[in-house]
Amino acid sequence: MSTISKFALALLALALGACRGGTSTSPPIHIIQDMDFQPKLKTQSATTFEGWKDGRSMRLPVAGTVARGSLPNATLLPDPKNPGKGVDGAWLAKNPLALTAESLARGKDRFEINCAICHGQSGRGGNGDQGHGLVGRRWPVAVPNFHAVQGKDNRVANLTDGEYFEVMSSPVGRNTMPSYAARITVEDRWAIVQYIRALQTLGNQ
Ligand code: HEC
């Protein structure tokens, strides 16, 4: 047997030995690194990267940037500095998005993805045993109810369409409620307002 074939046989024996099915607590030896090890940040993790002072690996879009195809229509956002308000500075009383079966269905879809976890599918909010949202039940403060209840403070139920829009559009959110300015498009925010109004109408019957 030539030296080369002896060497090949020894290598084969070694390779087979490595596949014997036993478990090991030591990490495998990576001869070919591929891209298994690379400097990268994983989603939802912390970072000590100097430029990012908030210590989060996930970044928000740079202020003022707009994703392709997402340029807000001026009728839906008449004053970009004051979302929910008209150019006259007053809250928009009427939702500027035309109500269609599609827009309402879209609003329902977005509401159930983004809002229902805290405010509940029905929009009845609350926390603890009285809470309607999966996360809302665990919230330290009561999540507002979108429905008017006799004898209760119904400020939230009575907000104008513009005010509902503004709560989602505020870059800092509202107290313990996070901001949805970067997460939900302008059109979708108005569609959610349409759906909240539909919930209120049905809920009060
Ligand atoms: C993580 C939980 C959470 C989610 C998700 C959430 N909210 Fe809220 N929301 C709250 C809490 C808590 C408050 C009460 C904030 C406070 O203390 O004033 C609130 C308040 C509000 C208010 C009342 C603001 C006011 O003027 O008092 C509106 C309107 C509202 N949310 C709409 C929404 C909509 C629409 C969505 C989905 C896009 C949403 N929320 C998603 C927790 C949440």
Side-chain angles (χ1 to χ4, degrees), residues 114-115 118-119 139 144 146 155 164 174-177 180:
N114 295 286
C115 322
C118 288
H119 289 274
W139 217 249
F146 296 144
R155 185 187 61 83
Y164 274 106
R174 184 64 52 89
N175 298 326
T176 55
M177 174 175 148
Y180 286 87

Side-chain angles (χ1 to χ4, degrees), residues 122-136:
S122 63
R124 294 193 193 278
N127 65 344
D129 290 345
Q130 308 296 314
H132 287 82
L134 275 177
V135 173

Side-chain angles (χ1 to χ4, degrees), residues 56 60-61 110 114 168 178-185 188-189:
R56 298 176 192 203
L60 287 173
R110 297 294 105 180
N114 295 286
M168 289 179 263
S179 167
Y180 286 87
R183 296 182 175 92
I184 306 178
T185 65
D188 284 348
R189 278 177 247 155

